[in-house]
Each structure stands twice: as structure tokens, then as C-alpha cells.
Amino acid sequence: MINDEFLEKYRVLEDLLSERYAGETRRHSSVIIEFENSKEGEIFRDRLDLCREIRNLLTHNASLEGEPVVTPARATLDMLDDIIAYVRRPPLAANWAVSAERMMTTNMRAPALRIMRAMESKGFSHVPVIENERMMGVFSQSTVFSYICGRGERVDEYTLVGDMARFLPLEKHSSERFAFIPADTSYVDAAAAFTPGPQREKRLAALFLTQTGARNEPLIGMITPWDILGRAKRQIVRPEFGDERAAVDEQM
């Protein structure tokens, strides 16, 4: 019976979340509510609220004069399956990274203005600087700002990226920071990395993926807050209840 199937799936979800939150301090007695009110689970909130209402009706008011008060649609069970699959195995952050093949990169000999114009036209905010297959730093708006203000220089057709070498290393960016993560990092952990920290902490501008998370390894991809908190959320959840089509990724 579909009602029993729904309740069983709901119990499975509760068990999985109970395991996840085991030993943690919770704000809510219900693990479902705890999850849907977390940064990670907010993308499922409307769906989980609906499931909780159905579950409460089936548990406390299962029938009226011998007839079921409510019968979940098959799409609702599919929706629960999606959430269970996510909780069991959160997707990898690499699924939403800009791959090394698609990533815009530059080198020390490139004209800075040419790179700046390409960044503006293509909507890129950060461009890795690669020399001998190693990342030497990141060229960004912060780089140019520091170069102009810190050196009193101006940028013209003869200015090279290498002229800004002092401001390219990751630790030299005045208002932003970067981090390296392994290729098997989950979406959950990557999203958590972009959560604002202490007030004085520099904002995380990008995550760089390498095989083990070491910065001296070849780049596999790059993730920005938009990739992990914007595009990813639209793809994780089906657009409509019961819609069997996968969400389509927007091409940059």
C-alpha cells in the first residue's frame, strides 16, 4: 500500500539523519526539522514540510469512516527517494567545478589589459596564473587594485601580468582568500567552506581542486560561491515534484 511505503521511506530518512546527527548538539528534537533548518538542508525545506504534514496525517488521522484521509502521490515518494539518496551520499563538489579544460588561465607574459578585457566579457572574476603547470597565484580585481594603489602604477597596453607578481600569490590578496581541497570533497563540505567565518576573516573567493588537496598538484577545477551555492542548489533538487528530467546546467 502506498501509504505504508511512504511511512517506511520517511522512517528511513529519519534513521539516516539520526545517524548523521548522533553525538551532536541539536536545536530541534526532530532530525527532519533539524536538517531542513540547516544551511545544507534548506534547499529541501518546502518538500520536507510537505512530507512531515503527510506523515502526521497518516500517523494520527490515518482514516475517516474507513477511507484514507490522504494518499501520497507517487511523485511524493519519488521526492523522498531523492532526499534519501542525497543524505546517503551527498554529491561531490567537483560536479559543479569549472574544470581545468574550461578554466580561463594566464601566465606572467600575458598583457594584463587583454586578460582584464577577457574577464569582463566572459564574466570571470579570478584567473589562475600558471607557469610550468604550477599555479603561481591568481589574477583578479584585487590584484589590479593593489598594484595601482600599492605601487602607484597605471595599467596600459604594455603592462604584463608578471609586473603584478608581488600581488599574485594567494596570501597577498588583500580582501580575499583561497583554499585547496581534494577532488573527492563533498558538496556539503565545500558549501560549508563558503559559510562566513569571523567578522575580520577575509572572504573565501574560490576553492581549487587538486587530486589530494595539495597546492603543488595540477589543478583539476575551480569552484566559486556562485558555483556551489547557486548553480548547485538548482541542480540537486528536481524543478517540480515528480519531474523525472534532470535539471539542466547553465553553460557559462
Side-chain angles (χ1 to χ4, degrees):
M1 185 176 178
I2 194 168
N3 288 10
D4 293 333
E5 186 179 352
F6 174 89
L7 290 173
E8 177 58 27
K9 290 181 185 294
Y10 194 92
R11 280 192 290 271
V12 168
L13 180 59
E14 284 185 314
D15 290 343
L16 288 170
L17 291 174
S18 293
E19 291 178 13
R20 172 175 291 199
Y21 293 123
E24 294 186 15
T25 301
R26 301 204 317 249
R27 293 180 300 169
H28 306 279
S29 59
S30 166
V31 289
I32 301 291
I33 297 177
E34 185 76 19
F35 179 65
E36 69 176 46
N37 281 282
S38 68
K39 191 70 178 176
E40 174 191 2
E42 66 179 356
I43 55 177
F44 300 108
R45 185 173 298 159
D46 291 344
R47 291 157 170 77
L48 287 172
D49 282 342
L50 175 62
C51 289
R52 284 195 301 108
E53 290 181 12
I54 295 173
R55 183 257 189 185
N56 289 338
L57 283 171
L58 292 177
T59 303
H60 303 295
N61 301 283
S63 63
L64 182 64
E65 296 182 358
E67 295 292 329
V69 171
V70 62
T71 299
R74 175 54 59 180
T76 308
L77 273 68
D78 292 342
M79 180 176 66
L80 260 179
D81 283 335
D82 287 345
I83 301 173
I84 289 171
Y86 173 89
V87 173
R88 274 185 171 145
R89 188 175 182 181
L92 297 180
N95 294 342
W96 293 281
V98 177
S99 66
E101 293 75 20
R102 293 177 55 215
M103 194 186 306
M104 179 180 175
T105 62
T106 188
N107 57 61
M108 295 292 192
R109 300 169 300 284
L113 269 180
R114 188 185 74 193
I115 300 302
M116 292 162 64
R117 288 165 180 153
M119 290 170 67
E120 182 178 23
S121 66
K122 296 180 180 180
F124 290 109
S125 58
H126 298 83
V127 177
V129 181
I130 307 295
E131 291 286 337
N132 298 320
E133 299 185 355
R134 290 188 59 188
M135 192 171 83
M136 309 303 295
V138 174
F139 184 84
S140 69
Q141 291 180 351
S142 174
T143 306
V144 178
F145 188 84
S146 294
Y147 175 73
I148 294 173
C149 294
R151 295 281 299 272
E153 302 281 356
R154 67 188 185 92
V155 179
D156 57 27
E157 300 291 343
Y158 302 100
T159 305
L160 303 180
V161 170
D163 294 331
M164 305 182 189
R166 173 184 167 190
F167 307 103
L168 294 174
L170 306 186
E171 62 276 6
K172 295 297 183 179
H173 286 244
S174 59
S175 61
E176 55 194 8
R177 60 187 176 89
F178 306 89
F180 286 81
I181 59 174
D184 61 354
T185 299
S186 71
Y187 163 84
V188 176
D189 290 337
F194 285 108
T195 301
Q199 192 170 7
R200 293 187 177 183
E201 186 180 55
K202 295 179 183 178
R203 71 177 183 87
L204 181 62
L207 292 171
F208 294 107
L209 279 75
T210 61
Q211 190 60 42
T212 68
R215 63 185 297 171
N216 61 344
E217 295 177 321
L219 283 181
I220 294 174
M222 179 175 73
I223 301 174
T224 66
W226 165 246
D227 295 319
I228 204 71
L229 301 176
R231 289 194 301 140
K233 282 187 177 181
R234 293 201 304 274
Q235 289 175 265
I236 287 172
V237 185
R238 298 184 187 187
E240 300 294 340
F241 299 156
D243 189 347
E244 295 296 334
R245 298 166 297 175
V248 178
D249 186 11
E250 293 181 358
Q251 297 296 317
M252 297 185 69

